[in-house]
Amino acid sequence: SPHVGFEVVNWSRNNRAILNHQIILLLASRGIKSHVFLDLHEQALLGAARCILDEEVAAIRLRTSIEVVGSQGGASGDRPCLGLGPATSVRQLQHAGIDLVSEPLFASLLAHLYRWDVRRLRQKTSIPVVAGAVLLGVPDESGLLEYGQVFMQLSEWDSSALGGGRRCQVVSGPVVVAKNPCLHPGDVLRLDAVHCPALEHIVDCIVFPV
């Protein structure tokens, strides 16, 4: 082929994890009780409602949709892009004395996010997993990881400072890993996330042993 261009199909980033129909059915087949999913569904509904009532929850929700999504260049499948761009700092707005819950523009944005979340919960059973992430899988080229171990270092948007920024944290302990699409009970595994200094240059990926 005469094509010599370099094209990027995807890049590593920390996307919000959700429980969909496929994963819920597989987890249920592995012994997870129904009340666990019902409790998570109820918590998701309450969390969606709190974003239009609580100032701090509203700020976190807006940071996720404005700053993280904006910095990734648009909307993803599980959250809308509000079109304000990554330069918009919710922390700066709060320091300026703007009440996010009562100010008309941001109140309408929060109402839009609330409807978006409730629609996805009702139509697609997309239950958000607070301590979860959707990551790209890569092999351990160092050969340090053992069977049953993985390495994960997640980044998150930090708006505590006026300028914002990213901070990284290595995940340690037992984790549940599912592939996408998830069709077979063997596609859901319980593994151990370990800290491996030699892999700290890898961010927003899950590293598997080879």
Side-chain angles (χ1 to χ4, degrees):
S1 171
H3 181 67
V4 294
F6 180 78
E7 300 181 3
V8 177
V9 178
N10 204 348
W11 66 96
S12 63
R13 57 187 184 271
N14 183 357
N15 283 330
R16 184 175 65 172
I18 60 172
L19 293 179
N20 56 25
H21 286 106
Q22 294 175 338
I23 298 178
I24 290 175
L25 289 174
L26 290 181
L27 290 176
S29 71
R30 300 287 293 270
I32 305 299
K33 303 300 182 182
S34 299
H35 71 84
V36 175
F37 306 112
L38 293 174
D39 290 344
L40 290 174
H41 191 272
E42 185 70 19
Q43 292 173 18
L45 287 173
L46 292 175
R50 287 182 62 196
C51 81
I52 60 177
L53 301 173
D54 187 284
E55 179 74 14
E56 286 305 313
V57 177
I60 294 173
R61 188 69 178 93
L62 286 172
R63 287 174 201 162
T64 302
S65 296
I66 295 174
E67 296 169 343
V68 177
V69 179
S71 66
Q72 294 174 0
S76 68
D78 65 325
R79 52 194 171 188
C81 181
L82 300 181
L84 299 182
T88 304
S89 172
V90 175
R91 182 63 64 185
Q92 288 177 319
L93 297 173
Q94 289 182 299
H95 278 290
I98 295 178
D99 189 336
L100 302 175
V101 174
S102 60
E103 200 281 328
L105 171 63
F106 291 100
S108 65
L109 293 177
L110 290 168
H112 169 68
L113 291 171
Y114 171 75
R115 291 191 296 269
W116 174 276
D117 291 338
V118 172
R119 185 186 310 117
R120 287 188 62 83
L121 282 169
R122 185 178 67 249
Q123 297 178 353
K124 297 188 176 182
T125 320
S126 297
I127 303 175
V129 182
V130 177
V134 178
L135 306 171
L136 293 178
V138 297
D140 172 26
E141 297 181 351
S142 68
L144 297 176
L145 294 178
E146 299 178 358
Y147 178 78
Q149 294 181 336
V150 292
F151 173 82
M152 292 186 295
Q153 181 175 208
L154 305 181
S155 70
E156 59 182 353
W157 192 258
D158 181 11
S159 297
S160 58
L162 288 179
R166 287 192 177 277
R167 58 184 176 187
C168 298
Q169 182 177 1
V170 176
V171 178
S172 298
V175 294
V176 176
V177 179
K179 60 175 290 189
N180 185 26
C182 194
L183 304 174
H184 186 273
D187 293 337
V188 180
L189 300 174
R190 183 185 182 277
L191 304 173
D192 290 319
V194 297
H195 183 200
C196 184
L199 300 175
E200 287 184 347
H201 62 284
I202 302 177
V203 181
D204 291 336
C205 291
I206 179 170
V207 185
F208 294 98
V210 292

